[in-house]
Each structure stands twice: as structure tokens, then as C-alpha cells.
Amino acid sequence: MKLIFTLSLALLSLLSIGQEPSIHGTIKDEKNAPMEFVNVILQNVSDSVMVKTAASDQNGYFELIGVPTGNYTLLYKQVGFADLLSQPFDYTEGTNLSVPEVNISSALNELDAVEYVYVKPLVEIKADKTVFNVEGTTNATGLNAMELLRKAPGVMIDNNENIMVKGKGGIVVYIDGKLSPLDGDGLKDMLKNMQSSNIESIEIITNPSAKFDAAGNAGIINIKLKKNKNFGTNGNVALGYGVQRYSKYNSSVAINHRNEKFNYYANYGNNWGDYWSFMRFNRTQNGSQFNQVTDNTSDGLKHNFKGGVDYFINDKHTIGVMMNGNVGENFWYSNSRTEITDVNPAENRTLIANTENIGRRDNLAGNINYRFTDTLGHFLNVDLDYGNYDMYNDSYQPNTYYNPAENVILYENNFRNNTSTLINLMTAKADYEQDFLKGKLGAGFKTSYVETDNQLDFFNVIANQDFIDSTRSNTFEYLENINAGYINYNRQIKKIGIQLGLRAEHTVSKGELVSQTTTAYEKIDRNYLNFFPSAALTYNRSDKHTYNLTYSRRIDRPSYQDLNPFEYRLDELSYQKGNVNLRPQLTDAFELSHTYKYALNTSLSYSRTNDFFTEITDTTEVSRSFISPRNLGYQENFSLNIGSPFKIKKWWNGYLNASVFQVHNRADFGDDKIIDIRANSYSLYMNNSFTVTKTLGFELSGWYSGPGIWGGTFQNDPMWSLDAGMKKTFWNDKAALRLSIGDIFWASQWKGVSQFGGLYMTATGGWESRQFRVNFSYSFGNENVKGRDRKTGSDDITNRVK
């Protein structure tokens, strides 16, 4: 039923994409020759607001479709030619209107101080990326960035909250064009702490150029935060509430002031409340059955802040200083019950493990930036960054074994562990661009230095006394230095666009595990040089058809915590640990895409990742199982993706995205531990916006993810979700009230099966995805104040903090 409903909406949307009534015409120059690539802007007569835009093709022909009834003018713009404004005319929706042929005179274009304002579509398809414009959307209200990514086209979040694009993991997250230093749990916490009210758009870049850091085999997700405009002061205050099993709260405030020489900005946000999730594992191992039921709850107060100042020396030179950070405590409780059915019935028992964890995660980062730009095409940007991450956890885990009736204690194994992680990172980065041979030449360098210090103190708790366990306590230290340089060139030759780039990265890394127990992997010492070519070829056949072919090579280095062999326990029989021998993975990716009328985008892609690393569930010591990252032989991914905005009625707009893909994991670890899994899957995403009045609107959105692969061995069942919401504005659009409910049918629970190395496991889990949310926001001051778009240079390494 749910799939039929989704496919019906998809079919209705695709049927709406076709020939529509339009405003059309032809543009020629002074010599009566057709003019190509002239920008045609349809604007309201009353306020000159842009309604639609198009570009002329090689025959000088242009077409504007989906135009509502109104009184309009047409503005024709082309570099090197004088602007031409048509006489006002009336248009009736649903009709065809041919406007008179125009001739544009060659002259220097006198730029008028006119700003054309328009409403961004929910999804924009561009040659090099897909842009998800989430600002102001009702179903994005009250969400955090992690929840918002679940709605992004082509993006999936697995049961362990790992981010995938078109079925591929290894995505790298940027914030305002800067690589986040966090990964793993650190990245998840940061995204959960980032409120949607502060997010303007999400860019999905599957094949980045050489200018970007080479990390990320699935590409880049760039989260762009909101900015302000022009001179003056403005700000925003927002309050949010959500509830399912428990209540959650969030609030934020942002202010920006800009004058002729300075731009000051600051924002603060927080969230607090209780969160619940569950996991169910049923595994068969060495003839015994383990049926585990776990419920997790957590609570805590988390804060994030950002502030800075930019000084505009003159029109060419700008310097800026920025600081940002996150601080917060987290209290996590896990109630786990495992029924153990042994080969010998006399050994049947039940394990109860109720874990208490107190944690704190603080980070502070600073950036100094210099920017130069002139009217001759020269551009220089320099970033100096420093970041500090301080993380601490204190965990107590009693493991009590009962008889099957659970009225007699058989024995106990109680543990306590204290873990601390300190990460310091420093980066220096410079990017330069200039006009060269009728194109744009770019070059740059980056150097980074990272130092991590991890401490684990493991205690056996006997009669309420803590006794240090020297066989499990250790220290892991890791140092890494990466030096990179790149060159990139792009040029437009009539209808053909060319981009070529090459990036080189030299990596030196050293790690040392210090313990009283000798292990086989006490040190790592690596020194390697990699080259990362990239290329793109774009053919603009006309304003209706654009073809794009891209290639890039990428690298994914293990997170700092994934290299750390410390154990993190769900109970005595189930735990997670790192792998000091984990190697980087390298990916070659190809993509061919076609865009029709700047809207309907179709892409076909292939990638192969060698030394693909992922989490593998394995066995040890007869009855214990663990998850640890390991390198596979390779992973192959084939995908076909189709996406387009659509308009069914003037009050009904939306976006549809559909993907089909095949993932193949292959590895041979010896001892009959072979992985050879293929999964054919698909995903659908749709958003519908309904405008009732100028101040009232509704949204209905949903996604469906077919069966797939999680980690190296888990084969997942389908998942889906349907969200609904409304938005009401008042006080001259200064204030907005948004109500929404997410995952109405609570269908985004994950399920999977794994069979590897003598272990057979079925698993399921979920969280409070079905939530009712209410959000109120109020904007004050000059709405046209704009701050400087600030980025840093440390994002690639900060993204690896887990």
C-alpha cells in the first residue's frame, strides 16, 4: 500500500513534466543574427520582482513555462550588450504567447543598482551539484541537521546514522565550504546540535574538482548556514519543541551588524531533553542462541556558538577573525537483557546489563582569514585555523547472569572504564585564481597537523571497589601531517565547458599503542604520496539540453577513533572497537548526466573503491561478538538517478527524485571468512508544497529506501517515512509559526540480517522518528543586511573526529 501510494505520486509528478503553455520569442543582434545565451528575465510590472528566467538557444529562441496570470515585462541581458526592457503585457495562465522578435544593440552594459528578488525552488539541479534549499520549508522546521539530511534528495541515513549518497558511504561533510573536523559520533552530535533554523541550503557534490580536499569517496555534502544582507542590523530568535515518548526543546538567537568597514556577527543555540532508541539482536553463534533486547535513553544540555568580525580594508582586501565551538554534557543509560540458550541446556541463562555513562564533549576552534579580489579576475584566499577537542566518558556496566527464571543470580562481572580523548589540529591553506587563456586557472596548497591523545582506564568492580585491569588499560597516541597542492583549469569554448585538475597529497602518520600487554599491532608508521586527477566535460546543446561527464579520484582516511583499539561495550558479550591497522580507501568515480530545461536531471554513475573499509560484525571467545572497521577487497557501485521539480497547479509545487543502484562488496579474510554480497536497491523522495494564502501553506513529503547493504555484511530491509506540516506567517512576515509531524507511520525503523564467519544475526532498531514539532521564529531589523560568506580551511581534518 505504502509503495503503491509513493509510486502513484511519482507517476503523477513525472506526467506533469512535459510541454506546457509558455511565453516564447526570438532574440537577434544588430545584424539580425540569432543570439545565444541571452538571459531573459520575466518580472512583475508592479514591483519588478523576478518571476521566471530562461536563456536563449543557438537559434535565439527562448521559452518561459509555468507562468501564472499577471502583468509582466521582459528584461533581456547579455554581457557586452545594452539591457533591453520590453513594454508591459498581460498573460493568462495556461495559454501560449509569442512576444515580438527583439534586436539587442551592442554597447557597454550600464549596470543599474537593481536587485532582482526571487523565491528559490526547493531543489536546484546544477551541472556540478544538487542544491536542497531548505530555508523556510515547513517540514524542515524544528529539525536538526541530521534529521534534515534524511530529506535531502539522493541522501540516506542508515541504522547507525552513517550518511550515504546514492548507496555509497564515505561522504564528507562541509560547513559553509569548510571541511568539518569531526566524524563518527562527533559528527553525529554536531549535526544533531545544528538546528534547521540556522541552515539555508544543503549542496550535494558527487564528483568534486581538485580544489576540494580529496577525502570522501561518495563526494561532499556542504551545509550552508544563513547569512544576512547589506548595511544595518538584523537578527532572528527561534524557539522549538518536539515530543514523542519524551519532550525535546531547542532555542537559538542570531544577530548581525554591518557598516561600510566592519561586519560583526554572532549566534548561539542550544538543545536539551530526553531521547530514546531501541535495538534488538538475535544471533546464533557456535550452536548457542543469544536474544538481546536493548533500550537506550539519553539526556543533556548542549550549546553551540559562533562569532566573528570582518574588516573591509577597501574594495579588494578583507581580513576576518572567527571563533566557534560546541560544549555539552550527555547522560546515557542502556538497559540490556540477553536470553542465552546454550548447546547444553543446563547452561541456559539470562544476562542483564544496565549501563550508565556520563560524558562531556567540548570543542573550540578559531580562524583567521585574508581575502583579495579585483575586477581583473584575480582572487586569493588564505585561512589559518586551530581547533581543540576535549572528550571524556565515565561508564559503569554491571553484567549480572541469572537462571532462566531470573530469580537466582548465578554470577556477576562488573566493569567501569574512563576514556578521554584530546585532539589538537592546525591548518594553513591558500587558494588563488586568475583569468588565463580565456579560462580560469586556479592553484593552491594546504598543510595540516593533527595530534590525538587517547587514554583508557579499565577497572574490574568487585564488592563496590575499583581495581585497575592492566591488560585492558592503555594509551593510544596518533600524529598525522598532510601536505597538499593542486592546480585546476576550466574554460568555456562556445557550447563546451572543460575542467581539468590534479591534486597531490603527501601523508605522514604515526600511531603508538602503549599497554602492559604486548599486542601484534603496537605501532603504525606510514608515509605515502597520492595523486588525485579530476575532469569534467559539459556540452550545452541548447537551453533545453545540457550534458555533463565527470571523473574524480578520492581518498578516505580512517577516523582518529577508528584507529583506536579501545573497546566500547553494549554488554560483556557485545562490544565495538577500532582497528590500528586500518588503511585508507581510494575511489575512482565516473558520472554521465543530462539536464532538460534546467530542471529534469538524469545521471548514470559508476565507482570502485579499493581497500574499502566498513564495520564488520565478527565473533571471538566462543560467545562474544564485536563490531570493528576492516578493509575489504573492494566495493563497486552502479547507480541511475532521476530528479526534477514539478508544478501541477499554481498552488501545488514539488520535487521528485528516484534512484536505482547496485552495491557489490567483496573480501576474503581467510578461514572461510568470505564476503561476496550484491544488493540491488532503489530510493524515492518527494516533497509537495501547497500554497493556500500568502501567509498560509502546507507541505507533504516522504521517502522510501529499498533493501540494501549496511557495513560489510548486513542486508537491510526497506524503510520509509511520510511527514506533514503547515506554516503560518504574521506581523508582515516578521514572525512564523510552524507545526509538523515526522514519520507519521513510524516506518523508518531499520531491520537487517548478517551471516559471516560462523555468526548468523538478525537485527532491528529505531528511535523517536515519529515526532510532533512546533517552532516559532521572529526576525527583527533590516532584512537586507548581508554578512560576509566566511569559510575556514580545517574542514577536511575536523570531519575525522569521531
Side-chain angles (χ1 to χ4, degrees):
M1 177 69 181
K2 61 200 177 192
L3 182 57
I4 294 174
F5 172 74
T6 306
L7 289 173
S8 298
L9 283 177
L11 181 59
L12 178 61
S13 305
L14 288 175
L15 288 174
S16 69
I17 303 170
Q19 296 297 327
E20 297 184 26
S22 65
I23 299 173
H24 50 269
T26 305
I27 308 168
K28 296 183 178 181
D29 61 16
E30 297 167 302
K31 299 179 181 179
N32 218 34
M35 290 189 63
E36 189 177 12
F37 299 126
V38 177
N39 292 313
V40 183
I41 302 169
L42 180 72
Q43 11 179 75
N44 287 320
V45 172
S46 58
D47 53 13
S48 297
V49 170
M50 177 188 293
V51 177
K52 283 279 185 178
T53 184
S56 58
D57 62 16
Q58 70 271 25
N59 298 316
Y61 178 80
F62 70 91
E63 184 180 45
L64 295 157
I65 61 176
V67 179
T69 299
N71 185 232
Y72 302 111
T73 60
L74 287 171
L75 176 64
Y76 303 89
K77 296 176 70 69
Q78 174 70 296
V79 176
F81 291 80
D83 290 356
L84 180 63
L85 184 66
S86 75
Q87 293 295 319
F89 62 91
D90 293 320
Y91 175 74
T92 302
E93 183 176 0
T95 63
N96 280 291
L97 176 63
S98 178
V99 298
E101 181 180 294
V102 297
N103 294 86
I104 299 180
S105 301
S106 176
L108 290 177
N109 189 15
E110 297 180 1
L111 297 177
D112 297 325
V114 177
E115 181 180 0
Y116 296 97
V117 181
Y118 67 101
V119 178
K120 293 181 180 179
L122 178 69
V123 178
E124 293 179 276
I125 305 296
K126 300 185 178 182
D128 60 338
K129 60 190 173 186
T130 298
V131 183
F132 185 37
N133 294 306
V134 300
E135 182 178 8
T137 59
T138 303
N139 282 339
T141 302
L143 300 177
N144 58 47
M146 177 66 79
E147 295 168 325
L148 201 57
L149 283 172
R150 295 178 186 272
K151 301 173 178 291
V155 178
M156 292 182 293
I157 309 296
D158 70 14
N159 59 298
N160 221 19
E161 295 185 327
N162 297 307
I163 304 170
M164 297 186 293
V165 172
K166 298 180 181 179
K168 295 190 294 182
I171 200 75
V172 172
V173 175
Y174 280 63
I175 308 296
D176 278 338
K178 301 173 290 182
L179 185 63
S180 169
L182 300 171
D183 66 1
D185 291 338
L187 177 62
K188 296 169 190 175
D189 285 346
M190 181 193 73
L191 293 175
K192 291 176 182 177
N193 199 32
M194 185 181 297
Q195 297 303 308
S196 61
S197 57
N198 293 325
I199 298 174
E200 177 181 307
S201 63
I202 296 173
E203 297 178 341
I204 303 160
I205 309 170
T206 52
N207 277 343
S209 69
K211 181 178 180 179
F212 291 94
D213 294 284
N217 84 84
I220 290 171
I221 288 180
N222 181 34
I223 300 175
K224 298 184 69 175
L225 303 180
K226 290 182 180 178
K227 305 166 183 73
N228 299 314
K229 304 176 181 178
N230 298 331
F231 295 162
T233 302
N234 73 359
N236 177 272
V237 178
L239 300 172
Y241 171 78
V243 63
Q244 192 215 40
R245 175 173 290 201
Y246 300 112
S247 295
K248 302 121 178 57
Y249 310 86
N250 64 80
S251 63
S252 65
V253 58
I255 190 167
N256 188 91
H257 174 77
R258 179 167 179 173
N259 56 36
E260 187 175 354
K261 284 293 184 181
F262 289 94
N263 179 63
Y264 307 91
Y265 54 94
N267 60 59
Y268 166 79
N270 59 36
N271 67 78
W272 69 98
D274 295 333
Y275 298 83
W276 170 81
S277 64
F278 74 92
M279 295 180 290
R280 308 288 185 259
F281 301 102
N282 194 317
R283 58 188 170 95
T284 302
Q285 181 177 338
N286 294 321
S288 297
Q289 294 259 349
F290 301 83
N291 187 9
Q292 183 177 7
V293 176
T294 302
D295 286 86
N296 304 309
T297 58
S298 64
D299 63 84
L301 174 61
K302 299 177 182 179
H303 311 265
N304 64 86
F305 53 88
K306 177 180 177 181
V309 57
D310 296 312
Y311 173 52
F312 304 96
I313 302 172
N314 53 39
D315 292 341
K316 297 180 180 179
H317 303 273
T318 305
I319 58 175
V321 178
M322 180 175 67
M323 294 191 68
N324 63 81
N326 293 271
V327 297
E329 289 184 325
N330 184 66
F331 303 91
W332 177 74
Y333 311 93
S334 174
N335 298 315
S336 178
R337 180 180 181 275
T338 305
E339 294 181 358
I340 304 172
T341 305
D342 200 272
V343 177
N344 179 5
E347 297 294 327
N348 291 351
R349 58 205 183 276
T350 299
L351 168 61
I352 304 294
N354 296 327
T355 304
E356 298 178 1
N357 185 88
I358 299 175
R360 185 169 185 87
R361 185 185 297 268
D362 302 335
N363 83 272
L364 183 65
N367 167 264
I368 299 175
N369 172 265
Y370 167 75
R371 181 185 179 99
F372 169 82
T373 183
D374 63 16
T375 58
L376 301 177
H378 300 96
F379 169 83
L380 174 65
N381 189 84
V382 179
D383 282 298
L384 301 176
D385 290 271
Y386 173 79
N388 172 270
Y389 297 81
D390 191 354
M391 294 166 279
Y392 174 81
N393 283 281
D394 182 356
S395 176
Y396 173 64
Q397 184 180 89
N399 293 270
T400 306
Y401 291 85
Y402 292 85
N403 66 337
E406 297 185 32
N407 55 13
V408 177
I409 296 178
L410 303 177
Y411 56 93
E412 290 182 303
N413 293 317
N414 301 332
F415 310 109
R416 183 187 303 280
N417 64 70
N418 299 328
T419 60
S420 62
T421 299
L422 182 64
I423 301 175
N424 291 296
L425 57 91
M426 293 170 284
T427 66
K429 177 185 177 183
D431 298 289
Y432 175 76
E433 287 185 356
Q434 72 168 47
D435 295 335
F436 181 72
L437 295 180
K438 299 182 180 180
K440 184 74 70 175
L441 177 68
F445 76 89
K446 180 176 181 178
T447 182
S448 66
Y449 179 81
V450 179
E451 180 182 35
T452 73
D453 189 354
N454 306 272
Q455 179 74 39
L456 169 64
D457 294 324
F458 194 96
F459 301 90
N460 295 308
V461 181
I462 303 173
N464 294 323
Q465 295 289 320
D466 293 349
F467 298 90
I468 190 75
D469 188 338
S470 60
T471 64
R472 296 180 177 177
S473 300
N474 52 39
T475 299
F476 180 69
E477 296 179 350
Y478 181 78
L479 304 175
E480 182 183 83
N481 174 231
I482 302 175
N483 296 293
Y486 75 89
I487 186 169
N488 195 72
Y489 178 73
N490 62 77
R491 179 180 175 181
Q492 188 73 31
I493 306 175
K494 295 184 178 180
K495 297 183 180 182
I496 298 176
I498 301 172
Q499 179 269 315
L500 298 171
L502 179 65
R503 186 180 185 91
E505 294 189 356
H506 178 233
T507 304
V508 177
S509 60
K510 296 182 179 181
E512 185 174 2
L513 177 68
V514 180
S515 173
Q516 295 183 20
T517 302
T518 302
T519 65
Y521 45 82
E522 290 187 330
K523 291 185 178 181
I524 56 173
D525 193 347
R526 293 180 178 147
N527 188 324
Y528 54 91
L529 173 66
N530 296 109
F531 293 93
F532 303 95
S534 64
L537 182 65
T538 303
Y539 174 54
N540 295 303
R541 178 183 170 188
S542 67
D543 64 330
K544 295 183 180 180
H545 298 279
T546 301
Y547 301 89
N548 196 42
L549 177 64
T550 63
Y551 163 77
S552 67
R553 195 164 200 242
R554 314 287 295 167
I555 188 172
D556 287 285
R557 299 178 178 87
S559 71
Y560 309 123
Q561 277 85 345
D562 278 345
L563 294 169
N564 185 347
F566 294 175
E567 293 184 6
Y568 300 90
R569 295 168 175 249
L570 191 60
D571 61 30
E572 185 181 29
L573 302 180
S574 306
Y575 63 95
Q576 182 179 20
K577 68 175 184 178
N579 179 2
V580 75
N581 292 312
L582 207 58
R583 300 183 302 275
Q585 63 184 28
L586 293 168
T587 301
D588 292 280
F590 302 83
E591 183 172 279
L592 175 64
S593 64
H594 168 252
T595 303
Y596 176 69
K597 289 188 176 181
Y598 304 103
L600 178 62
N601 182 268
T602 306
S603 64
L604 180 66
S605 61
Y606 166 79
S607 68
R608 179 185 171 105
T609 302
N610 293 313
D611 277 337
F612 172 67
F613 58 75
T614 188
E615 293 181 315
I616 302 294
T617 305
D618 207 345
T619 62
T620 185
E621 300 175 17
V622 182
S623 60
R624 301 179 75 198
S625 67
F626 66 94
I627 293 178
S628 181
R630 299 180 69 175
N631 290 100
L632 305 186
Y634 63 85
Q635 180 187 76
E636 287 185 310
N637 184 291
F638 300 85
S639 68
L640 173 65
N641 186 80
I642 301 175
S644 177
F646 62 86
K647 180 169 185 164
I648 296 178
K649 297 289 185 180
K650 64 179 180 179
W651 47 268
W652 182 357
N653 291 279
Y655 176 79
L656 172 70
N657 181 270
S659 297
V660 294
F661 50 87
Q662 181 189 83
V663 178
H664 179 207
N665 289 349
R666 171 69 185 177
D668 187 348
F669 298 113
D671 299 325
D672 293 325
K673 293 185 176 182
I674 297 174
I675 297 175
D676 193 358
I677 299 177
R678 292 182 186 269
N680 299 313
S681 189
Y682 52 89
S683 66
L684 295 171
Y685 169 79
M686 174 176 283
N687 181 279
N688 298 272
S689 299
F690 308 96
T691 302
V692 181
T693 68
K694 291 183 178 180
T695 62
L696 179 63
F698 292 88
E699 284 191 9
L700 182 68
S701 64
W703 56 266
Y704 187 96
S705 177
I709 298 176
W710 175 81
T713 61
F714 268 96
Q715 294 181 290
N716 288 348
D717 289 353
M719 302 164 58
W720 63 286
S721 177
L722 185 68
D723 303 346
M726 62 83 67
K727 174 185 176 182
K728 172 66 177 178
T729 61
F730 43 96
W731 300 343
N732 294 323
D733 289 338
K734 292 284 188 178
L737 178 67
R738 300 176 176 93
L739 305 176
S740 64
I741 181 168
D743 197 6
I744 297 172
F745 299 100
W746 204 31
S748 61
Q749 302 174 46
W750 52 267
K751 298 178 182 179
V753 176
S754 174
Q755 187 167 3
F756 173 70
L759 172 67
Y760 178 84
M761 177 184 289
T762 61
T764 185
W767 60 290
E768 296 174 282
S769 55
R770 181 169 57 190
Q771 284 188 35
F772 171 75
R773 295 180 293 265
V774 57
N775 179 271
F776 173 80
S777 62
Y778 176 71
S779 300
F780 57 89
N782 182 0
E783 296 180 352
N784 294 320
V785 177
K786 180 170 187 179
R788 181 180 170 220
D789 186 2
R790 289 282 277 109
K791 303 178 180 181
T792 68
S794 63
D795 300 333
D796 59 325
I797 55 176
T798 56
N799 195 47
R800 294 169 59 202
V801 180
K802 189 171 185 178

